[in-house]
Amino acid sequence: MKETGKKSRVLEVYGLTLIDLLCTMISFGVAAILRHMYDANGPLDKNSAITACLLLLLCTTVYNVLMDGNRNFFKRDQFVEFTSVAKCTFIVLIITLVLMFFMQSTYALSRVLLAIFAVINVVLTFIVHCTYKKAIIKHYKTNGAGNKVLVVTTMDRGTTLMEQLKLNLPWDAELVAACVMDSKEIEYDMNGITVVANADTLYEVAGKMALDEVLIDLPDYPMSERKKLVADLQQMGVTCHCIIHTFQIDGSARVIDTFGNKPVVSYHKTVIDFRSHLVKRAMDICGALVGLLITAVVTPFVALAIKIEAPGPVFFSQERVGRNGRRFKIYKFRSMYMDAEERKKELMEKNQMSGLMFKMDDDPRITKVGKFIRKTSIDELPQFYNILVGQMSLVGTRPPTVDEFNQYSLYYKRRLSMTPGLTGMWQATGRSNITDFDEVVKLDLEYIDNWSIGLDIKILFMTVYSVLFSRGAV
């Protein structure tokens, strides 16, 4: 509902952002006072405290705007609300500490102050959020400020429709009545909603009642009749919503959009919010820049070791298949002898992977240096270039070779519906310990279907742990 959406988004985005900023300032101020009472002899560094407060406010704003931290605020129960507030506070605090570390300000920052701030901010913000939500909803219910909606439908669809609407009704909308077009009687109850009109009396009744919007569900009516109905109702100045009837595919999201100048219903297995995609790309660029700096430092040493053991280029490039079938060249430090691809055909019978991947223990094609840089994942460092130019991401699915891709079924191809990554679910959870390609695909699809920025961060930490402790390293 167009106007309803605008109201709720204004209250969620702008209203809650302002509330969160006020709570952050109050929490930080109270924490500073308590910190002073706790240790009066330990003076608080004012410059570092002011810097921390300003960064907390900035990070809170960015989190609310880019991460849309308060989405579905009016639909969240208290447990979800508390979890969301705690998550926001934790992420904002971590980012603030990282920024202050790079600003070389953490040495003067009171850890006790930040710990007290975190506790106070979670409790205060949660209480204010709940109070704000109750006050807004009460205002709309008691003052008649909600959008009054009339439902126009038929007898065979009415009862089910009313039940569905009650469960999914926008918080600031009110179902005031129903018009059942093919009903011979009126003034009866339909799943809690009073039927006040039929096709003969619709305009007369609607013209006399308080009404903001009309929801029309008449799939069996000719287009010409529905068009006339909307045109006539719009003369009253009300907004008309016509339910679009299309088929539903399990596990797919439907999005109403335009293609060119044509209205379409789009089906997506996974829908990624633009802001989340922007944050993911920003993470990729920052991570790639840091990774390329590390690559530049280690390259002279790795290059020398590779050249001494086996003649040939330092870097290995290979055509891989990326998002939705796009081809690109992936770069690595060379860890095999120059004839590795030719010898692979001879070794296929020793493949330990079940499916469309190749892996074997003690692969004779791998050099001694190659074993070390693979075990430590140093061979993957040049892929930060692929990440920087957008061909890959820090976290995603493994990009297959062209030969592997040409053997993919439709089911397998869905693992390429997201940008391939330097690491992913299967590397972080098992890496080379997994020997069944179907299990790899299952983990990749689990990642795609449940994707979030938080999941990416979790996988990155799990990957670092796997590399440091050589857990399943190749």
Side-chain angles (χ1 to χ4, degrees):
M1 298 184 180
K2 191 174 182 181
E3 198 61 35
T4 298
K6 287 183 178 179
K7 289 181 192 174
S8 61
R9 293 306 289 157
V10 167
L11 290 169
E12 286 177 353
V13 176
Y14 300 106
L16 286 170
T17 298
L18 179 60
I19 286 174
D20 290 348
L21 291 176
L22 289 173
C23 289
T24 298
M25 286 192 291
I26 293 172
S27 299
F28 196 86
V30 174
I33 295 172
L34 293 176
R35 157 64 175 78
H36 179 71
M37 294 172 60
Y38 168 76
D39 186 9
N41 297 322
L44 185 67
D45 187 273
K46 292 183 179 180
N47 290 333
S48 64
I50 292 173
T51 301
C53 185
L54 292 175
L55 287 175
L56 286 169
L57 293 173
L58 175 63
C59 292
T60 298
T61 303
V62 172
Y63 181 86
N64 279 333
V65 174
L66 290 183
M67 301 290 289
D68 205 6
N70 288 312
R71 176 179 288 275
N72 297 322
F73 171 73
F74 289 99
K75 294 182 179 179
R76 301 193 305 219
D77 59 29
Q78 290 192 348
F79 176 77
V80 175
E81 189 62 49
F82 182 84
T83 304
S84 299
V85 170
K87 177 182 176 182
C88 175
T89 301
F90 176 76
I91 292 175
V92 166
L93 192 58
I94 292 298
I95 296 175
T96 298
L97 285 171
V98 171
L99 291 175
M100 293 197 72
F101 172 79
F102 284 110
M103 294 169 63
Q104 298 183 345
S105 299
T106 51
Y107 70 93
L109 188 63
S110 171
R111 307 297 192 274
V112 175
L113 170 63
L114 293 181
I116 297 173
F117 160 78
V119 175
I120 295 176
N121 194 61
V122 170
V123 175
L124 177 63
T125 306
F126 173 69
I127 293 173
V128 175
H129 273 206
C130 292
T131 304
Y132 176 69
K133 185 186 300 183
K134 288 181 179 179
I136 292 296
I137 292 176
K138 182 178 179 181
H139 167 73
Y140 272 82
K141 287 185 176 180
T142 57
N143 296 322
N147 294 313
K148 300 185 182 300
V149 182
L150 171 70
V151 179
V152 179
T153 184
T154 57
M155 293 182 66
D156 62 328
R157 302 185 62 82
T159 302
T160 302
L161 176 63
M162 298 304 171
E163 184 177 349
Q164 293 173 344
L165 288 175
K166 282 182 179 180
L167 294 174
N168 300 283
L169 194 67
W171 63 271
D172 57 350
E174 178 187 358
L175 293 182
V176 293
C179 169
V180 179
M181 298 292 279
D182 55 351
S183 176
K184 294 183 179 179
E185 47 182 304
I186 58 174
E187 299 299 334
Y188 67 92
D189 182 271
M190 177 179 279
N191 209 346
I193 304 299
T194 303
V195 176
V196 297
N198 54 27
D200 297 328
T201 60
L202 170 59
Y203 299 117
E204 178 185 355
V205 173
K208 296 178 181 179
M209 62 188 298
L211 191 62
D212 298 304
E213 301 175 358
V214 177
L215 179 66
I216 301 172
D217 182 28
L218 300 170
D220 299 326
Y221 272 51
M223 181 64 73
S224 58
E225 291 188 27
R226 282 182 283 168
K227 184 177 179 180
K228 182 179 182 303
L229 177 63
V230 171
D232 291 341
L233 289 170
Q234 281 190 322
Q235 291 182 15
M236 299 168 50
V238 300
T239 299
C240 293
H241 306 284
C242 295
I243 295 179
I244 297 177
H245 294 274
T246 61
F247 55 87
Q248 175 67 52
I249 300 176
D250 291 341
S252 294
R254 292 181 295 182
V255 179
I256 307 299
D257 207 342
T258 57
F259 190 90
N261 65 339
K262 301 295 183 183
V264 297
V265 179
S266 303
Y267 295 84
H268 303 273
K269 273 291 184 182
T270 305
V271 179
I272 299 178
D273 180 72
F274 172 75
R275 280 167 292 195
S276 297
H277 184 273
L278 188 64
V279 173
K280 182 177 175 66
R281 183 59 187 144
M283 287 173 55
D284 287 343
I285 293 174
C286 293
L289 292 174
V290 174
L292 288 174
L293 182 62
I294 297 172
T295 305
V297 172
V298 305
T299 293
F301 305 100
V302 176
L304 181 62
I306 291 174
K307 284 287 189 180
I308 290 175
E309 181 178 8
V314 173
F315 296 100
F316 168 77
S317 66
Q318 184 183 50
E319 188 175 33
R320 293 290 183 98
V321 182
R323 184 170 66 87
N324 291 330
R326 292 170 174 80
R327 308 294 174 91
F328 70 98
K329 278 194 173 182
I330 196 173
Y331 296 96
K332 296 184 178 184
F333 284 121
R334 183 169 61 87
S335 60
M336 293 185 173
Y337 293 103
M338 292 299 296
D339 60 348
E341 286 301 309
E342 290 75 16
R343 294 171 64 185
K344 179 180 177 181
K345 298 176 182 178
E346 304 171 4
L347 299 170
M348 285 302 294
E349 61 181 21
K350 298 181 180 180
N351 184 13
Q352 295 174 322
M353 283 291 293
S354 173
L356 304 179
M357 285 177 64
F358 179 84
K359 183 187 75 70
M360 64 175 292
D361 293 334
D362 299 321
D363 191 332
R365 301 173 302 157
I366 302 176
T367 64
K368 293 179 181 178
V369 172
K371 289 180 180 179
F372 173 77
I373 62 176
R374 282 189 169 209
K375 186 179 183 63
T376 56
S377 296
I378 292 174
D379 65 318
E380 309 280 357
L381 289 177
Q383 290 175 43
F384 282 112
Y385 168 78
N386 296 112
I387 295 172
L388 184 64
V389 298
Q391 296 166 336
M392 293 179 63
S393 177
L394 288 175
V395 183
T397 60
R398 172 189 172 273
T401 64
V402 175
D403 289 340
E404 291 171 353
F405 175 74
N406 289 335
Q407 301 177 64
Y408 272 15
S409 64
L410 292 177
Y411 171 71
Y412 289 161
K413 286 183 178 179
R414 193 163 84 82
R415 67 187 296 270
L416 297 177
S417 60
M418 288 187 72
T419 303
L422 180 65
T423 185
M425 185 77 82
W426 73 276
Q427 294 99 320
T429 56
R431 305 186 74 195
S432 64
N433 292 333
I434 298 176
T435 58
D436 188 345
F437 181 67
D438 283 338
E439 184 65 23
V440 172
V441 174
K442 180 181 177 182
L443 288 171
D444 284 340
L445 297 186
E446 179 184 336
Y447 166 75
I448 292 172
D449 292 337
N450 298 285
W451 180 84
S452 68
I453 294 296
L455 180 59
D456 271 11
I457 295 173
K458 177 181 178 181
I459 289 174
L460 287 173
F461 278 115
M462 291 172 65
T463 301
V464 170
Y465 174 81
S466 294
V467 171
L468 290 178
F469 295 95
S470 299
R471 180 169 167 260
V474 177

